[in-house]
Amino acid sequence: MAFLFSPKARASSDESLESYLLRVVSENFFDSYEGLSLAIREELHELDFEAHGAFPIDLKRLNVYHAKHNSHFRMRALGLLETLLDLPRYELQKLALLKSDFKFNTSAAIYNNGVDIPKRFIRYHAVDSIDSIPVCPQCLAEEAYIKQSWHIKWVNACTKHQCALLHNCPECCAPINYIENESITHCSCGFELSCASTSPVNTLSIEHLNKLLDKGERNDSNPLFNNTTLTERFAALLWYQERYSQTDSFCLDEVVGYFDKWPTVFYKELDELSENAEMKLIDLFNKTEFKFIFGDAILSCPNQKQRELHFIYRALLDYLVTLVESNPKAKKPNAADLLVSVLEAATLLGTSVEQVYRLYQDGILQTAFRHKMNQRINPYKGVFFLRQVIEYKTSFGNDKARMYLSAW
């Protein structure tokens, strides 16, 4: 028997977990989410003592990825809440944002419905932040719930109604944040958000946003959208932000314009760095680290969880193969003799750091410097010749996403 009334309207597949719980608050005539959460915790205390402590009193801490330690108790609590609401199994868990074991290089990720999303792309991801969570007034007028996509910082328009999302209340100008206000349809000042006027967005921007959020794969002239998954697109957006120090900029049209000229625009940048390399040198090429000339070009590449090579990684690898081929081995060191670190070698080979150490122990990769016996090589220091790493990679074929080497 259900302990609580569930909302008459079932949870939409694109609804946020916090939005659904606020609808439960309304359906059960609680004054606030805190009242609901205390009632739920009291009931959970009888059913499962461990899970009851994992159910947060504060709405901003509700989602699973906010769990400080293990999130499995939070998941168990959501499962028990489904029973209390008489919902089908996994109904709430499908709405949750989960912790992900995947990392966008060094950036943490969260997981939802088969998609890994960089945590920094989520609005209001830190419980002490003051981000707005914008809304589409026309969507709220049709169905009063908050869409999960409105939490993503790249989403600033409604693709259905082709209008800009509303970030601030038209009445009091305060940032709109339904989690802080604990109201889906109204601002804290009492203004009804569904009554707000909207401004149109140009068709091209809507088209770009539709392509970005499409969970399917399509053929497209722009590599950002050409047969890529949503996770791969997010990886490309993060790479662009980090490479061009645009971490606070979420202009999708600008990024799409950049990738329209791919890979020519990327190769032009690398060519300029390569041509000016000799002027920048302090020592010979074979004693200079790759990152001294090219920066984090290798380590910033999207990592290879995907079933195929990411198009950014593939473009960089093609460039380095050409660089090595156009700079054959000679008495005088050249750009192909730059030194890459263990981490950079692992990225280029699409393998683990441990396997790179094994290649070194087997004598396949040679270091530029002699090392003491039983001393582990610093993974961040350039020690392997770029030429050897690229030649070893091409000996397996450039289209191999990963190789595994026997320990014996």
Side-chain angles (χ1 to χ4, degrees):
M1 182 177 174
F3 165 68
L4 296 164
F5 297 112
S6 58
K8 294 180 179 67
R10 286 281 299 275
S12 300
S13 59
D14 61 344
E15 183 172 7
S16 72
L17 179 63
E18 294 90 345
S19 169
Y20 186 79
L21 264 290
L22 284 178
R23 293 204 286 127
V24 173
V25 169
S26 176
E27 189 72 23
N28 289 274
F29 306 104
F30 284 99
D31 291 332
S32 66
Y33 169 78
E34 185 177 346
L36 172 71
S37 63
L38 289 172
I40 291 171
R41 280 169 69 103
E42 188 176 336
E43 189 68 16
L44 289 180
H45 187 275
E46 301 297 324
L47 297 172
D48 189 325
F49 180 75
E50 290 179 323
H52 117 277
F55 196 83
I57 295 174
D58 196 345
L59 181 61
K60 67 174 73 172
R61 297 180 185 275
L62 171 66
N63 232 310
V64 176
Y65 77 97
H66 287 306
K68 287 187 177 179
H69 304 294
N70 291 332
S71 55
H72 63 275
F73 286 137
R74 186 75 56 91
M75 292 293 284
R76 193 196 298 176
L78 287 179
L80 291 169
L81 180 55
E82 289 166 355
T83 306
L84 297 178
L85 289 166
D86 198 22
L87 294 173
R89 200 175 180 193
Y90 306 124
E91 183 87 351
L92 294 181
Q93 295 181 20
K94 284 188 289 188
L95 304 180
L97 294 176
L98 313 177
K99 291 182 177 180
S100 175
D101 61 350
F102 179 64
K103 279 200 168 186
F104 291 88
N105 295 330
T106 57
S107 297
I110 59 176
Y111 178 87
N112 178 253
N113 286 329
V115 179
D116 290 295
I117 311 167
K119 194 174 179 181
R120 67 168 71 171
F121 286 178
I122 299 296
R123 291 185 170 105
Y124 203 62
H125 69 268
V127 291
D128 57 348
S129 65
I130 53 172
D131 295 344
S132 66
I133 301 176
V135 298
C136 171
Q138 295 183 58
C139 285
L140 291 181
E142 292 172 2
E143 291 182 271
Y145 74 88
I146 302 295
K147 295 184 179 181
Q148 188 67 69
S149 60
W150 295 347
H151 288 251
I152 299 173
K153 292 181 179 179
W154 292 95
V155 179
N156 289 296
C158 173
T159 54
K160 182 179 179 181
H161 299 106
Q162 301 194 3
C163 63
L165 296 183
L166 197 65
H167 284 262
N168 295 84
C169 172
E171 189 74 23
C172 67
C173 298
I176 295 169
N177 189 320
Y178 77 101
I179 295 177
E180 285 286 348
N181 300 339
E182 294 194 5
S183 174
I184 293 171
T185 55
H186 289 76
C187 174
S188 55
C189 71
F191 180 80
E192 190 172 353
L193 298 173
S194 59
C195 298
S197 58
T198 56
S199 52
V201 175
N202 71 72
T203 309
L204 190 61
S205 297
I206 294 296
E207 183 185 335
H208 292 161
L209 187 55
N210 261 325
K211 288 181 178 180
L212 173 68
L213 299 178
D214 186 3
K215 288 194 175 182
E217 296 181 26
R218 66 174 76 206
N219 292 322
D220 198 282
S221 58
N222 190 310
L224 180 63
F225 307 124
N226 185 37
N227 294 317
T228 54
T229 63
L230 188 46
T231 298
E232 288 170 333
R233 286 171 227 146
F234 281 136
L237 295 177
L238 184 63
W239 174 87
Y240 177 87
Q241 277 194 335
E242 291 181 339
R243 182 168 180 81
Y244 300 104
S245 302
Q246 300 285 331
T247 49
D248 295 324
S249 172
F250 294 91
C251 179
L252 183 59
D253 292 345
E254 181 184 302
V255 184
V256 173
Y258 173 86
F259 284 115
D260 269 334
K261 298 174 280 188
W262 186 268
T264 308
V265 62
F266 183 49
Y267 288 166
K268 184 180 178 184
E269 293 170 19
L270 296 178
D271 282 339
E272 288 175 3
L273 293 172
S274 181
E275 288 163 9
N276 297 326
E278 285 202 61
M279 295 173 61
K280 194 177 178 182
L281 282 181
I282 298 171
D283 210 333
L284 296 173
F285 275 109
N286 62 353
K287 295 181 180 178
T288 301
E289 293 189 352
F290 178 89
K291 62 186 175 186
F292 182 74
I293 303 297
F294 291 98
D296 288 333
I298 296 175
L299 292 182
S300 64
C301 263
N303 43 7
Q304 303 307 307
K305 178 192 176 184
Q306 296 82 14
R307 71 250 182 276
E308 291 182 4
L309 301 179
H310 195 281
F311 72 89
I312 293 175
Y313 171 88
R314 197 163 54 240
L316 176 65
L317 190 61
D318 289 345
Y319 181 86
L320 294 179
V321 168
T322 304
L323 180 71
V324 169
E325 288 174 351
S326 58
N327 288 276
K329 183 76 173 171
K331 287 184 178 180
K332 183 183 177 183
N334 53 47
D337 297 308
L338 287 167
L339 303 178
V340 295
S341 66
V342 172
L343 286 171
E344 288 171 329
T347 302
L348 289 175
L349 295 174
T351 189
S352 67
V353 168
E354 287 70 22
Q355 290 181 4
V356 172
Y357 282 124
R358 195 175 298 147
L359 288 172
Y360 163 65
Q361 290 166 356
D362 291 346
I364 295 170
L365 293 180
Q366 298 172 358
T367 58
F369 316 103
R370 297 188 70 176
H371 294 271
K372 294 179 182 177
M373 287 284 289
N374 302 321
Q375 183 183 34
R376 195 171 176 86
I377 300 171
N378 183 340
Y380 300 96
K381 183 177 174 60
V383 289
F384 299 120
F385 297 108
L386 175 66
R387 183 189 308 281
Q388 286 187 359
V389 174
I390 293 297
E391 286 173 348
Y392 185 69
K393 173 67 179 176
T394 53
S395 71
F396 282 83
N398 288 355
D399 58 340
K400 298 275 184 175
R402 185 175 291 271
M403 69 193 78
Y404 295 94
L405 305 167
S406 171
W408 297 277

